[in-house]
Amino acid sequence: MPPGRPILVRVQVVPPTDGGEMPDRVAVLWRGNDAQDQMTDMVKDETGGWGGFKVELPPQDEGAVFFQIVACDAAATRCGVDTGSKRRWHATTVGSQPGAARPLPLDAVSTRAPPSLPE
């Protein structure tokens, strides 16, 4: 993705079991070019089907962006993360040249992650 443009994140969230309830809060925990962890709430995406959520993150300069999708109940006592562990992050690159090398995934715990996320 080119620098200077917002980053659109769209996800599909489903309950952990067939009879399970949808989460009360879905957010993206992300670390941009400034290396500061931020938690940004996602909104329902009616065009994304059942469980669709989206968020637009602010534009970033060239470099790595790391993220996790976090879903919790209202009190954040039960949370899940799409990577399976609060230590693992997805990685993508903002760059002016197409085909820029993708950074290695990050292995670090965020101070902004809900404490109830699995280790």
Side-chain angles (χ1 to χ4, degrees), residues 24-113:
D24 294 304
R25 179 181 183 205
V26 178
V28 60
L29 177 60
W30 61 283
R31 184 179 291 182
N33 302 133
D34 61 2
Q36 299 298 310
D37 293 351
Q38 300 180 54
M39 180 84 81
T40 304
D41 286 327
M42 302 183 85
V43 296
K44 289 189 179 200
D45 180 5
E46 299 303 328
T47 65
W50 187 69
F53 289 85
K54 67 180 176 179
V55 68
E56 199 169 89
L57 301 179
Q60 299 292 301
D61 293 328
E62 289 193 39
V65 176
F66 302 95
F67 65 97
Q68 301 171 330
I69 306 301
V70 179
C72 297
D73 62 3
T77 55
R78 292 182 314 152
C79 293
V81 63
D82 72 320
T83 60
S85 166
K86 62 184 170 186
R87 297 193 62 80
R88 286 184 287 196
W89 298 63
H90 299 290
T92 192
T93 302
V94 173
S96 55
Q97 299 297 319
R102 180 171 274 180
L104 294 175
L106 188 62
D107 182 10
V109 175
S110 170
T111 57
R112 295 198 183 257

